[in-house]
């Protein structure tokens, strides 16, 4: 039964890796406005750092604009400063009531750079999934050594671990391919 726990723990860790991939890809700029571009920005507000969505409403009125409407107008300057400090490559415009961010279209060269960087990121996550497989296989080998399972069971379990790993690596590849397609579209 301990082996089942090992498989379960490995699958949970691999699933968390997939969630991290999704989260990281959501913050990658594609030339289209998305609230995820500003999601991670912290604003100094009333003496503490707060996520931007806790001091303002973030909306995307069209494909090229992000609007940030503060709950308290006095926070406009702090929001603008936080966006500039975050260095997202876009300059905010403060009109006295709302901070607007116009998302410029990406150049072909920039699209290729982003796609390349996503490829590097994908490899890091593939390695994380493979490390989980290694931990699982080590546990399987230990179970055989401790005479908990037979050699045939070890081989079957190792094949199952590989199958699980391949499935999660395929999910990473699909997510990356989808994001690269999105980036390369004009």
């Amino acid at each position: 039964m301990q082996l089942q726990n090992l498989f379960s723990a490995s699958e949970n860790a691999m699933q968390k890796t997939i969630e991290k991939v999704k989260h990281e890809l959501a913050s990658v700029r594609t030339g289209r406005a998305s609230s995820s571009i500003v999601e991670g920005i912290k604003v100094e507000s009333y003496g503490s750092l707060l996520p931007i969505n806790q001091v303002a409403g973030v909306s995307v009125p069209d494909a090229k604009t992000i609007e940030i409407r503060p709950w308290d107008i006095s926070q406009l300057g702090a929001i603008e400063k936080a966006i500039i400090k975050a260095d997202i490559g876009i300059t905010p415009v403060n009109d006295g009531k709302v901070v607007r961010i116009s998302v410029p279209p990406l150049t072909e060269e920039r699209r290729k750079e982003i796609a390349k960087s996503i490829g590097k990121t994908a490899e890091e996550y593939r390695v994380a999934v493979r490390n989980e497989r290694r931990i699982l296989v080590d546990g399987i080998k230990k179970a055989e050594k401790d005479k908990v399972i037979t050699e045939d069971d070890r081989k079957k379990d190792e094949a199952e671990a590989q199958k699980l790993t391949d499935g999660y690596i395929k999910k990473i590849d699909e997510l990356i391919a989808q994001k690269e397609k999105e980036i390369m579209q004009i």
Side-chain angles (χ1 to χ4, degrees):
M1 210 58 202
Q2 181 185 4
L3 212 52
Q4 192 57 41
N5 291 342
L6 252 178
F7 267 96
S8 183
S10 287
E11 187 160 9
N12 285 342
M14 290 179 187
Q15 186 58 44
K16 284 179 183 168
T17 300
I18 295 294
E19 293 307 315
K20 288 177 187 172
V21 170
K22 287 178 181 176
H23 181 72
E24 188 160 333
L25 290 179
S27 66
V28 173
R29 240 182 57 172
T30 60
R32 287 190 198 93
S34 167
S35 60
S36 62
I37 293 173
V38 295
E39 210 171 67
I41 296 175
K42 303 268 191 229
V43 178
E44 186 157 338
S45 178
Y46 307 112
S48 60
L49 284 176
L50 298 171
I52 201 162
N53 62 357
Q54 288 185 11
V55 295
V58 178
S59 63
V60 182
D62 61 57
K64 297 290 178 196
T65 310
I66 301 170
E67 277 188 359
I68 302 156
R69 202 172 290 276
W71 311 132
D72 176 1
I73 284 291
S74 68
Q75 295 299 304
L76 265 175
I79 291 169
E80 186 178 17
K81 199 159 98 178
I83 293 168
I84 292 168
K85 186 178 173 189
D87 195 27
I88 57 174
I90 308 171
T91 306
V93 177
N94 177 349
D95 72 2
K97 293 179 182 172
V98 177
V99 174
R100 283 189 182 80
I101 300 174
S102 292
V103 180
L106 296 174
T107 63
E108 187 67 26
E109 183 180 322
R110 182 70 181 127
R111 288 175 198 275
K112 288 177 182 173
E113 282 176 26
I114 292 171
K116 189 176 178 181
S117 109
I118 288 174
K120 288 179 183 174
T121 302
E123 188 53 36
E124 291 170 17
Y125 286 113
R126 286 186 203 104
V127 167
V129 168
R130 288 185 199 113
N131 284 338
E132 283 306 319
R133 177 196 57 207
R134 184 184 43 77
I135 292 167
L136 179 57
V137 168
D138 288 349
I140 293 168
K141 287 178 181 175
K142 185 179 183 317
E144 180 194 20
K145 184 180 170 202
D146 295 345
K147 307 268 189 251
V148 175
I149 61 172
T150 65
E151 182 181 353
D152 288 345
D153 287 339
R154 175 187 58 82
K155 288 180 180 177
K156 182 178 68 83
D157 289 342
E158 283 179 354
E160 193 63 34
Q162 184 61 48
K163 186 176 166 188
L164 181 69
T165 302
D166 291 344
Y168 279 97
I169 286 179
K170 184 177 181 206
K171 285 181 186 178
I172 290 171
D173 291 343
E174 287 168 355
L175 290 168
I176 297 300
Q178 182 181 350
K179 190 65 172 189
E180 284 177 344
K181 181 180 175 192
E182 191 179 314
I183 288 168
M184 296 314 277
Q185 286 176 346
I186 296 175

